[in-house]
Amino acid sequence: RTYLGNYRPSLVPPARTMRMFRHTHGLASYPTCGSVGALSAALSAAISAYCLLKSPQGFLGEERRQQCYVQESEEEEEELSLSSSSPHTLMTRLRASSSFDVVPLGVGVIQAEAALPSSGSTAADLKTWRNQRRREVEQNPKAPCQATAAPLFGRFIDHFLDTAHAGGGMVAPPPPPPPARRPHDMPLYTKQGVPTFILPTRQRVVAIGDLHGDLGKSKEAFRLAGLIDKDGHWSGGKTLVVQVGDQLDRGDDEIALLYWLERLKYEAHNAGGMLVTMNGNHETMNVSGHFRYATPGAMASYERWRALERLGERVKGGAKYAGRRDAGRASSVDAAAIAPPMELVGEPAGTMARFEALQPGGPITLRFLAPQPTVLVVGSSVFVHAGLLPGHVEQGLNFINAATCEWMRGHLAVPNFLLGRHAVVWTRAFSHIRRDRTDCATLTESLSALRQTNQAPFASRMIMGHTIQQPGGLNSACNGAALRVDVGLSKGCGDAPPEVLEILDDGRGGVRRVSKPTHVGDLLVE
């Protein structure tokens, strides 16, 4: 049921025949099923059952299958149409009985949603409708079910792979390809599918620093802020959370972390909240093919990721299924769109798998990184991984997000504002650990320029990560105008205790550092 999403089935399926498929679906979607072996068993059961049912010499045989189908249809019709005289009740029950699964049988497929009688139909109307559907099946008993079964089976394979990539944690159904707007990201996108740079504020906004491939410590940070429960699912209500970039490098859990964050976005959206993840310098480095901070464990995970993706493609292709993973997911896993840098030639297989996944236009980049904003304004707060200098403000925040997105999609060369020591993802002008080297004058100029150009009319503070704030932890500078949230929580870069920033009522309720689960938080800015 998890991977079905909003899918509407085509025909009331034979109840007995479909029981094995519902069982398989339940196994694949079971939240506590962390074993890839169990998922493999579910996949094998689904494929085997489908092949048996589809084969002309299957365990039932063509004639027997149709007889069973007609018998089941008559039984269901008897139950649905003759057990109640209320037309409304009849249609409600009919539609409810159609909400289980698609018909993966080689006996014809009718798109029933458009053909269903109206809710005012009588029992006789329903019986006529069912007889008409049966005649259509009898006239063309070998009509392929591919048009209906293929998308569902493809989604099952994709869901299986996503769950495996996430380390066994149940993930959300796969999103549509860009530039389509994903349900959980709708407020974050323009009509062109480019990340927007401005969002309305909320009563509670939480900022979280660099995560660097450490899923366990990332969950500790989210749990510290009351955003997830003990099982790692969203519990933050309507809170808006901004993670300021650097999900990649220095840790082994990069892929699992990306999938977990994506699932959390769906859950936050469903609860009225929102999670935004941003691009940092380690995302731009990896898209550029520079992997010097990647761990051996992370490299190996990309080789496993590629092997599973190829397996999924073969399973769907071997079954003659259409609807392979779209451009926003995992297409082109067998060939790089651009030539790899010379320093990667001859490297282990995991390195090339990482390059193919993270290059501009690569499947991991398209799905996770390209949709992320590089700069974001929420009320009077400006979020950026490293810092916005006056020159960046002149280029425009919308341009920065759009150009970064298009570069990651493989449509543009790398923008200049992402390169060099003064880049939006590299500068340390406002985050230097030494207070006397923090450029407060330039920060004031940048915030003023944002207000004057009406890009951030109420900008009064800039929130950034990038520079580990140890010893001391999360802090403010420049009279509260600079809030530095990277505490080095990942085991790969300090293993410090997690801390998060909490902004209440756009700062009017205080700006606090939260370092203990039951602690209200230390007031940084009144």
Side-chain angles (χ1 to χ4, degrees):
R1 302 285 172 84
T2 300
Y3 69 85
L4 288 175
N6 294 323
Y7 178 79
R8 294 293 300 170
S10 297
L11 192 64
V12 180
R16 297 195 195 104
T17 309
M18 289 307 300
R19 203 164 289 140
M20 67 183 75
F21 283 86
R22 288 199 290 275
H23 174 73
T24 302
H25 295 166
L27 176 60
S29 305
Y30 194 59
T32 61
C33 180
S35 168
V36 174
L39 291 171
S40 300
L43 177 61
S44 300
I47 296 173
S48 300
Y50 174 78
C51 292
L52 284 170
L53 290 166
K54 190 174 186 298
S55 171
Q57 290 77 34
F59 67 92
L60 291 178
E62 180 70 27
E63 181 178 354
R64 176 59 180 154
R65 278 206 308 274
Q66 293 188 58
Q67 291 175 357
C68 290
Y69 177 79
V70 172
Q71 290 173 3
E72 294 283 2
S73 297
E74 290 175 347
E75 291 170 3
E76 290 179 359
E77 184 180 87
E78 182 74 19
E79 178 185 355
L80 289 168
S81 301
L82 305 181
S83 61
S84 172
S85 59
S86 168
H88 177 74
T89 302
L90 289 173
M91 283 311 305
T92 300
R93 296 183 64 188
L94 176 61
R95 293 178 184 275
S97 71
S98 300
S99 64
F100 291 110
D101 298 288
V102 71
V103 185
L105 300 173
V107 294
V109 172
I110 298 95
Q111 294 296 327
E113 182 66 22
L116 280 174
S118 65
S119 59
S121 301
T122 64
D125 294 331
L126 290 173
K127 189 169 184 177
T128 301
W129 173 79
R130 295 297 296 273
N131 289 334
Q132 181 181 353
R133 301 284 77 76
R134 187 181 297 108
R135 284 194 296 272
E136 293 179 9
V137 171
E138 292 171 351
Q139 291 171 3
N140 192 10
K142 296 184 178 181
C145 65
Q146 187 169 341
T148 302
L152 178 61
F153 187 74
R155 286 175 66 86
F156 172 79
I157 296 297
D158 291 344
H159 180 72
F160 166 80
L161 295 176
D162 290 351
T163 302
H165 295 324
M170 186 176 65
V171 296
R181 299 165 74 182
R182 298 193 246 174
H184 64 280
D185 281 336
M186 276 193 175
L188 193 58
Y189 278 79
T190 66
K191 292 181 179 180
Q192 292 72 36
V194 173
T196 187
F197 69 90
I198 190 165
L199 288 173
T201 189
R202 301 205 180 191
Q203 177 63 31
R204 184 177 186 238
V205 177
V206 172
I208 298 177
D210 306 20
L211 301 179
H212 281 304
D214 193 328
L215 179 58
K217 294 296 291 290
S218 299
K219 289 183 177 180
E220 287 184 28
F222 277 79
R223 198 170 288 117
L224 173 68
L227 301 171
I228 61 173
D229 59 22
K230 61 182 180 62
D231 296 319
H233 295 282
W234 181 263
S235 63
K238 297 182 180 180
T239 303
L240 168 61
V241 183
V242 182
Q243 194 277 318
V244 296
D246 277 9
Q247 300 100 37
L248 301 182
D249 287 336
R250 303 187 186 276
D252 296 345
D253 306 329
E254 293 178 1
I255 292 179
L257 177 61
L258 291 173
Y259 279 88
W260 177 72
L261 289 170
E262 182 186 74
R263 186 198 74 190
L264 210 59
K265 291 178 183 179
Y266 276 92
E267 294 178 349
H269 172 76
N270 291 337
M274 190 173 187
L275 167 60
V276 180
T277 54
M278 302 183 68
N279 285 317
N281 62 307
H282 284 265
E283 281 71 56
T284 62
M285 286 171 61
N286 277 273
V287 175
S288 298
H290 301 298
F291 306 147
R292 59 181 176 272
Y293 295 107
T295 66
M299 288 291 195
S301 71
Y302 280 89
E303 180 64 17
R304 292 191 297 270
W305 171 88
R306 183 172 63 175
L308 280 173
E309 290 294 326
R310 287 175 171 173
L311 173 62
E313 293 288 338
R314 287 196 296 271
V315 169
K316 288 187 285 186
K320 299 180 180 179
Y321 277 102
R324 298 190 177 193
R325 293 199 178 210
D326 53 58
R329 293 182 49 74
S331 58
S332 304
V333 295
D334 292 304
I338 58 177
M342 289 300 297
E343 60 265 26
L344 299 185
V345 177
E347 289 293 319
T351 304
M352 291 308 302
R354 186 184 184 95
F355 175 77
E356 291 172 11
L358 290 170
Q359 64 177 313
I364 292 290
T365 298
L366 281 176
R367 177 169 178 173
F368 298 108
L369 307 185
Q372 297 183 157
T374 304
V375 290
L376 181 68
V377 176
V378 180
S380 58
S381 301
V382 181
F383 294 86
V384 62
H385 179 68
L388 274 174
L389 302 176
H392 303 144
V393 178
E394 290 181 10
Q395 289 181 296
L397 306 191
N398 188 58
F399 173 76
I400 290 174
N401 277 354
T404 303
C405 177
E406 291 304 304
W407 165 59
M408 288 187 169
R409 289 177 176 176
H411 300 160
L412 294 176
V414 56
N416 62 348
F417 55 75
L418 297 177
L419 302 173
R421 60 185 299 184
H422 300 300
V424 295
V425 294
W426 280 103
T427 182
R428 301 188 193 274
F430 314 137
S431 61
H432 201 284
I433 190 65
R434 289 178 52 181
R435 299 294 184 94
D436 59 334
R437 296 185 63 178
T438 301
D439 193 347
C440 295
T442 301
L443 175 59
T444 301
E445 184 181 351
S446 294
L447 292 173
S448 177
L450 287 169
R451 293 191 297 268
Q452 292 175 6
T453 57
N454 209 37
Q455 297 183 79
F458 309 106
S460 62
R461 66 184 73 90
M462 193 173 294
I463 301 168
M464 65 213 71
H466 187 48
T467 304
I468 298 175
Q469 302 296 309
Q470 296 295 349
L474 191 152
N475 63 78
S476 67
C478 304
N479 296 319
L483 298 169
R484 295 94 70 87
V485 298
D486 181 11
V487 297
L489 65 82
S490 171
K491 292 183 178 68
C493 53
D495 197 18
E499 296 181 353
V500 301
L501 182 73
E502 181 182 62
I503 303 173
L504 300 177
D505 195 19
D506 200 24
R508 290 182 289 272
V511 178
R512 301 176 182 274
R513 177 182 68 180
V514 180
S515 56
K516 298 178 182 178
T518 59
H519 188 46
V520 174
D522 301 317
L523 193 65
L524 291 178
V525 182
E526 295 186 5

